[in-house]
Amino acid sequence: MATLEKLHSQLSVPSNSRVLMLLGQLERMNREVMLRDVETARQVTAKIYHLIQTQERSGKEVMSKGSSGMEVILASLENSRDVQTTLNIMYILSELLTVGRGRRVGVFVSKGGTGILFQILILASKEIPPSEELMLQLHALLAKVGPKDRTFGLKARLTGALNITVNVMKQNLQNTKLLLPCLQVLRIYSTNSVNAISLGKNGVVELMFKIVGPYSKKNTSLFKVALEALGALLKSKTNARRVVDSGLVSVLLALYLDWHRNDTRHCCMLIRKGLLVCLRNITNIKLGRKAFLEADGMRILYNSSAECLPVRTLDPLVNTSSLIMRKCFPKNRLPLPTIKSAFHFQLPHVPPEGPVAQLYSQPPGVDDVVDESDDNEELEAETDTENDEDDKEQCNLNDDIETDLNKLHPKRTIGCSFEELKVYQTFFSELSEDFQGYNFEFLKSASPTSSSAYFFSSPSARFTRPVVVPTAEAPSPKQIPHSQDVSNSVKKHQTLSSPSPSSPQTPLDLGTIHLRKDKDKKEDTNIPTPDGHTAPPSFCRSPSQGHMMEQQLSHPLVCLSLEDKGNQNAEAGSERVKNEESPVNNLRYIQSPLLLGGFPVRRAGGGGSNVGSDCGSEGAEDEGGEGGVLEVPDTAQLLPLHDPDLYVEMVKGTESVPQYAEVAYPDYFGHVAPMFKEPLLERIYGVQRSKIFQDIERLIHPNDILDKVVYDIDHPSPVTEENSESLKFNSQFESGNLRKAVQVRKYEYDLILNADINSNHYHQWFYFEVSGMRVGATYRFNIINCEKSNSQFNYGMQVLMYSVQEAISGRPRWVRTGTDICYYKNHFARSSIATGGQKGKSYYTLTFSINFSHKDDVCYFAYHYPYTYSTLKSVVADGRSH
């Protein structure tokens, strides 16, 4: 009676409220009264159920905050021994817990309702025969409250409810009405790892395969819940091994293929997803992956996923299939003899405990490329984990496939205040100036080297005549001098950096550059040219002329080829047409290719290019005494702070461990910085996944793979035929770090970067040369030994490319380019030696596609703008000279 009075006082409802009166009457009926007066208990509970079912207000009164109505109902349920009274109370609880967004279920659990339900389940199972309706209602209620009770699995195991539910399922395999709630409860049981092992020992895994069957339009809800329960059971490695030992992996694949073929309208996607989840959990163990491959699972999932790709709503199936295939793809070793750098420098003193000593003190027979076992599977102790339902399953996610572009957006806030940053204002003028209203004035005349013609000798068998690249506005070459005439001129200038005697080089005086800001922020810049005239004002930059400046820098060079007048023309320079609108009107002649005279030459197979990177000859001239001359623009006006000849002199003084004999064209020509913000590349939906599927094709269709080595610095002998259609690679220049190139398909190449000297890692940045390309073909490059788990290439950054054809046309610059750029984990294993003892790690792939604009061009690719040590020395030397 005290509880009833409490209800009245807290709810502030009339004392004649029917549901409260009935609850008070039910409270006065203890166990003895309920056993003696069964009919009254049935009537009272039936009336309460009717009121709650028909009047929403009644349910709110019972479950309102502070109400003790739930305690009365649970006490009556615990005291009842009559099946019908118990069923009436079950109906009441079912109505109350159906609404409330989980709050009512939480109240039920907090009042000890879960334990009472398990007690009723134990008592009901002892009845012969047990009431089917009571079992149905009990399991339906348990399925509702289970997800909200964090100790549900432990309570079920301690009370013995696991075996009762399993026995009910075994006795009612054809009774889908009772089987469905039992499967729902079994799914919750199985989230506890100890329960999953216990259920597996009782044959529940095999029981699930009796319930799940081929495609059918009937019982789809039953199949869905059964697969969810089976997937939860297979998270246990013990159960996964049991499935493998029973040969059921092929059964799962056959079921998935059957549902995939017949579910043409995609109405049963959740069932197909459930089958894939089961396969995903099985393949978490080594035996499961082996069984999956033996059952031809890779081909089955690959073909089915390819059919699902056009339908966006089937992405969950494609993603799960992709995860399984990537996990089961056999781990390969990098095609390298060792992961240590190809170059080694003997240090004068090596600390015995340092990384260099450890690296080079390994026994000769140790394979540092890959471990003996690529899986390194360790059987984890399967302990009782009560909160497995909250497991995020991070190990099962395609965490390297990044889709959220907001994760790496730059933060708008700065770490220091502007007052603190003013300390660095001397070094970083951009902190206080925007430079939009400044003019650059040259008060002294510029270096006359831009008007002089230079010749650089090199033994090139491919070029015996000057190479001229005409543009759309330039007339075709009228006449090319004979090779004998060119060679006579070349003999006068044998070294790479010797200037013409009549044109001594005057380095640019940094003191002649002044910043002047006009009041009206208009520019009136006069840039003296070597002939005494001033450069056109259009070359100067105004605040709104960024793109106009870019167009002018892209203006084609208009020139004429050399006339056939022998040494006279070669010494005096070719006749040229000066375009007043172009920023570059002067020409410079270098012999192709660039060779550091007197340096020992070390060539790697497959290197070389058609426009001047074939620098592997041993002398300054070829057998016939002929050398190729490359006509290029003198970019002194575009790059006043870059002196190519000074750079070459610095290169000659740079001591490199590989003893490079070449100069990369971008380092020699220089780079014109863009006058606008470089936009980020917009990601195409599914590009990362499509690249991964193309990699999986290598295992599905191995006959389509060329696997042809076209460049290898570990084996310097030539590996690319002269007339081959394969690309030619080279990195034998300062900061170049390409170690090996393998042609996978006709237009696809796997690239392996070289580790830092005296190291076996640090290969994320790249710089290499490509030549021999075709126009109109889309080439794919895969850098397959990246180390970082993610990259800005997944967020719009592009690779840098430098075209020599563009440079000799007056546009010497690095440009951001590439399509289908993405970064993801690959199937090449990293050894524990490379990862500091961690096993099971993989490398990452950076892939990008390129369409080249010029035939037989020479292009350079880099992660970011290269800055060599020789460049640093050039800047220091140039600064000291002034």
Side-chain angles (χ1 to χ4, degrees):
M1 190 65 184
T3 304
L4 185 59
E5 294 175 354
K6 181 180 178 182
L7 285 173
H8 285 302
S9 61
Q10 292 181 347
L11 295 178
S12 300
V13 294
S15 59
N16 59 354
S17 174
R18 292 190 59 190
V19 67
L20 295 181
M21 293 176 59
L22 292 172
L23 285 174
Q25 185 178 355
L26 187 63
E27 182 187 15
R28 290 189 294 270
M29 299 176 65
N30 55 23
R31 179 174 299 182
E32 291 77 10
V33 175
M34 294 187 72
L35 291 175
R36 184 176 62 252
D37 197 356
V38 174
E39 190 63 31
T40 302
R42 291 179 179 180
Q43 293 177 358
V44 172
T45 54
K47 291 178 180 179
I48 295 175
Y49 171 61
H50 176 72
L51 288 174
I52 293 177
Q53 187 181 30
T54 57
Q55 299 179 9
E56 183 179 356
R57 182 174 61 87
S58 298
K60 291 181 178 180
E61 291 176 356
V62 175
M63 296 301 301
S64 62
K65 186 177 181 180
S67 172
S68 59
M70 179 60 70
E71 289 94 326
V72 174
I73 294 174
L74 291 177
S76 301
L77 178 63
E78 190 174 11
N79 295 330
S80 174
R81 292 296 179 267
D82 178 59
V83 174
Q84 186 59 50
T85 303
T86 303
L87 281 174
N88 290 341
I89 299 176
M90 290 289 181
Y91 297 148
I92 294 171
L93 291 173
S94 179
E95 286 291 332
L96 291 175
L97 301 182
T98 301
V99 296
R101 296 183 178 180
R103 188 192 67 82
R104 294 184 178 183
V105 177
V107 173
F108 177 86
V109 173
S110 65
K111 303 296 183 182
T114 306
I116 295 175
L117 290 180
F118 282 133
Q119 293 177 12
I120 301 301
L121 181 64
I122 300 299
L123 294 174
S125 65
K126 296 178 181 180
E127 298 291 334
I128 301 177
S131 170
E132 178 180 326
E133 180 66 18
L134 183 57
M135 285 295 180
L136 175 64
Q137 294 300 324
L138 277 170
H139 282 91
L141 273 177
L142 288 171
K144 288 183 180 180
V145 303
K148 290 291 184 179
D149 192 344
R150 299 178 66 86
T151 60
F152 186 83
L154 179 61
K155 293 175 181 177
R157 185 171 68 253
L158 295 178
T159 57
L162 296 179
N163 294 331
I164 295 176
T165 302
V166 172
N167 292 333
V168 172
M169 290 173 55
K170 291 179 179 179
Q171 298 169 6
N172 296 273
L173 287 178
Q174 305 303 321
N175 186 353
T176 57
K177 183 179 179 180
L178 177 58
L179 190 60
L180 180 60
C182 290
L183 286 172
Q184 292 172 340
V185 175
L186 183 69
R187 176 183 57 189
I188 306 173
Y189 288 164
S190 303
T191 57
N192 183 289
S193 59
V194 178
N195 290 349
I197 297 174
S198 177
L199 291 170
K201 292 179 180 179
N202 290 337
V204 177
V205 175
E206 293 78 4
L207 182 64
M208 292 297 100
F209 280 90
K210 294 181 181 180
I211 299 174
V212 179
Y215 174 79
S216 174
K217 295 183 179 180
K218 299 180 180 180
N219 301 325
T220 54
S221 299
L222 186 71
F223 288 169
K224 173 182 172 295
V225 177
L227 287 172
E228 291 176 351
L230 180 59
L233 288 168
L234 293 178
K235 288 182 180 180
S236 164
K237 291 182 173 63
T238 303
N239 292 335
R241 285 191 291 272
R242 182 175 286 107
V243 170
V244 174
D245 295 339
S246 302
L248 297 176
V249 175
S250 58
V251 175
L252 282 174
L253 287 169
L255 287 173
Y256 177 75
L257 190 59
D258 179 67
W259 282 88
H260 170 75
R261 289 174 176 174
N262 292 283
D263 185 25
T264 56
R265 305 182 68 176
H266 311 304
C267 298
C268 303
M269 189 186 72
L270 293 178
I271 295 178
R272 294 157 64 181
K273 176 68 180 298
L275 289 167
L276 289 176
V277 169
C278 293
L279 289 170
R280 183 195 67 188
N281 294 338
I282 292 173
T283 52
N284 283 334
I285 63 173
K286 185 176 180 179
L287 288 176
R289 293 190 287 274
K290 182 180 178 181
F292 177 83
L293 292 175
E294 292 175 351
D296 201 21
M298 293 290 285
R299 187 182 301 274
I300 292 174
L301 292 193
Y302 176 81
N303 293 333
S304 61
S305 299
E307 296 173 3
C308 295
L309 282 175
V311 185
R312 183 72 67 90
T313 56
L314 299 181
D315 277 356
L317 302 181
V318 178
N319 292 336
T320 308
S321 299
S322 172
L323 185 146
I324 297 172
M325 289 186 288
R326 295 178 69 190
K327 191 185 342 181
C328 296
F329 200 111
K331 289 293 183 68
N332 294 343
R333 62 173 289 147
L334 285 175
L336 296 175
T338 175
I339 59 174
K340 293 191 288 287
S341 174
F343 308 114
H344 172 59
F345 179 73
Q346 185 62 42
L347 298 174
H349 173 69
V350 179
E353 301 299 330
V356 177
Q358 297 177 4
L359 185 66
Y360 289 96
S361 63
Q362 299 172 0
V366 174
D367 185 3
D368 63 347
V369 179
V370 69
D371 296 319
E372 293 182 1
S373 174
D374 64 300
D375 292 281
N376 302 301
E377 179 184 3
E378 298 179 0
L379 299 181
E380 300 177 357
E382 302 187 65
T383 57
D384 187 359
T385 305
E386 303 300 339
N387 301 328
D388 282 349
E389 63 270 18
D390 297 330
D391 184 16
K392 300 300 181 182
E393 304 179 25
Q394 293 295 333
C395 60
N396 294 329
L397 297 177
N398 283 313
D399 53 356
D400 60 315
I401 301 183
E402 188 55 70
T403 57
D404 187 3
L405 298 182
N406 295 321
K407 287 185 178 181
L408 284 186
H409 277 176
K411 296 181 179 179
R412 300 294 181 181
T413 59
I414 59 176
C416 301
S417 64
F418 283 104
E419 294 298 328
E420 295 175 330
L421 292 176
K422 286 183 178 180
V423 180
Y424 307 98
Q425 186 170 353
T426 304
F427 304 100
F428 304 101
S429 300
E430 61 269 21
L431 293 175
S432 58
E433 298 291 345
D434 58 7
F435 300 100
Q436 299 301 313
Y438 280 87
N439 295 328
F440 289 86
E441 287 192 6
F442 291 77
L443 302 182
K444 298 181 182 180
S445 59
S447 172
T449 55
S450 58
S451 62
S452 303
Y454 289 86
F455 292 85
F456 305 101
S457 61
S458 160
S460 177
R462 298 176 184 170
F463 292 94
T464 58
R465 299 185 297 179
V467 179
V468 180
V469 183
T471 62
E473 300 181 13
S476 300
K478 296 181 179 180
Q479 189 174 6
I480 304 298
H482 297 294
S483 59
Q484 182 177 1
D485 301 329
V486 175
S487 62
N488 291 336
S489 301
V490 169
K491 290 178 181 178
K492 298 181 180 181
H493 308 278
Q494 292 295 328
T495 61
L496 181 62
S497 60
S498 58
S500 173
S502 60
S503 304
Q505 180 181 0
T506 303
L508 178 64
D509 188 354
L510 296 180
T512 62
I513 302 179
H514 295 275
L515 292 177
R516 179 171 59 84
K517 191 169 185 178
D518 298 338
K519 295 181 179 179
D520 56 354
K521 295 187 178 182
K522 293 183 179 180
E523 294 185 339
D524 186 14
T525 305
N526 297 323
I527 302 178
T529 58
D531 55 4
H533 297 84
T534 58
S538 60
F539 178 66
C540 303
R541 178 185 173 191
S542 66
S544 61
Q545 289 178 329
H547 292 282
M548 185 182 300
M549 177 66 176
E550 176 67 15
Q551 294 176 0
Q552 292 174 352
L553 292 179
S554 303
H555 197 283
L557 173 69
V558 180
C559 64
L560 293 177
S561 61
L562 293 174
E563 297 290 344
D564 189 11
K565 295 183 180 180
N567 297 340
Q568 181 180 0
N569 286 351
E571 293 175 358
S574 66
E575 181 181 356
R576 59 186 64 88
V577 177
K578 294 184 178 180
N579 181 7
E580 296 299 331
E581 296 181 358
S582 175
V584 181
N585 294 320
N586 302 292
L587 301 178
R588 180 182 283 257
Y589 298 92
I590 65 172
Q591 187 163 13
S592 171
L594 299 174
L595 176 69
L596 301 183
F599 273 36
V601 179
R602 183 181 187 275
R603 290 295 295 161
S609 57
N610 295 339
V611 191
S613 63
D614 189 9
C615 312
S617 303
E618 298 180 357
E621 296 179 355
D622 58 9
E623 297 178 357
E626 298 175 349
V629 178
L630 182 63
E631 181 177 316
V632 299
D634 190 334
T635 57
Q637 295 184 33
L638 292 178
L639 302 169
L641 300 181
H642 179 75
D643 190 339
D645 302 319
L646 176 61
Y647 178 79
V648 172
E649 290 298 328
M650 293 298 104
V651 173
K652 289 182 178 181
T654 300
E655 297 183 6
S656 298
V657 174
Q659 296 182 346
Y660 293 135
E662 302 173 29
V663 177
Y665 279 102
D667 302 328
Y668 179 81
F669 286 143
H671 161 65
V672 178
M675 299 298 174
F676 54 88
K677 291 183 179 180
E678 297 176 325
L680 294 176
L681 179 67
E682 184 177 355
R683 276 285 292 273
I684 302 176
Y685 178 81
V687 61
Q688 205 169 26
R689 187 174 56 193
S690 65
K691 296 299 181 182
I692 292 174
F693 271 62
Q694 291 176 20
D695 293 345
I696 295 174
E697 282 184 18
R698 302 186 187 188
L699 186 65
I700 306 298
H701 306 293
N703 296 331
D704 297 340
I705 305 303
L706 299 178
D707 199 22
K708 175 183 177 183
V709 178
V710 295
Y711 179 78
D712 191 356
I713 63 175
D714 292 301
H715 301 87
S717 58
V719 294
T720 303
E721 298 80 5
E722 190 67 27
N723 297 324
S724 173
E725 294 184 355
S726 303
L727 291 176
K728 299 177 178 62
F729 293 85
N730 183 29
S731 65
Q732 295 295 286
F733 46 82
E734 192 172 353
S735 293
N737 67 336
L738 180 64
R739 182 170 187 171
K740 192 171 186 178
V742 181
Q743 187 175 11
V744 180
R745 298 181 178 94
K746 185 176 182 180
Y747 297 115
E748 183 178 354
Y749 295 84
D750 281 352
L751 309 180
I752 302 176
L753 304 178
N754 189 28
D756 283 357
I757 295 174
N758 291 0
S759 173
N760 60 6
H761 50 291
Y762 302 122
H763 30 67
Q764 191 83 14
W765 194 90
F766 55 87
Y767 186 21
F768 59 90
E769 172 195 294
V770 177
S771 60
M773 63 284 294
R774 289 186 174 186
V775 177
T778 301
Y779 291 89
R780 177 185 173 185
F781 299 99
N782 310 311
I783 300 177
I784 62 175
N785 64 330
C786 298
E787 295 178 316
K788 293 184 177 180
S789 60
N790 209 334
S791 172
Q792 288 290 342
F793 287 111
N794 276 337
Y795 302 89
M797 189 172 81
Q798 296 176 278
V799 298
L800 280 173
M801 186 182 76
Y802 192 103
S803 169
V804 174
Q805 292 279 21
E806 293 291 325
I808 64 178
S809 300
R811 295 178 291 274
R813 57 184 175 179
W814 288 95
V815 295
R816 292 284 179 185
T817 186
T819 58
D820 297 343
I821 302 176
C822 53
Y823 188 93
Y824 55 88
K825 186 187 300 181
N826 59 32
H827 57 276
F828 290 101
R830 294 179 66 188
S831 67
S832 57
I833 297 176
T835 59
Q838 296 183 357
K839 294 184 177 182
K841 297 294 183 179
S842 298
Y843 286 102
Y844 288 79
T845 291
L846 165 64
T847 180
F848 57 94
S849 299
I850 294 291
N851 286 279
F852 295 100
S853 302
H854 305 285
K855 181 182 180 182
D856 294 332
D857 195 0
V858 179
C859 294
Y860 292 79
F861 292 95
Y863 182 95
H864 202 55
Y865 299 104
Y867 194 86
T868 64
Y869 178 65
S870 298
T871 301
L872 176 62
K873 293 199 304 181
S874 301
V875 173
V876 175
D878 196 32
R880 288 177 178 175
S881 65
H882 301 303

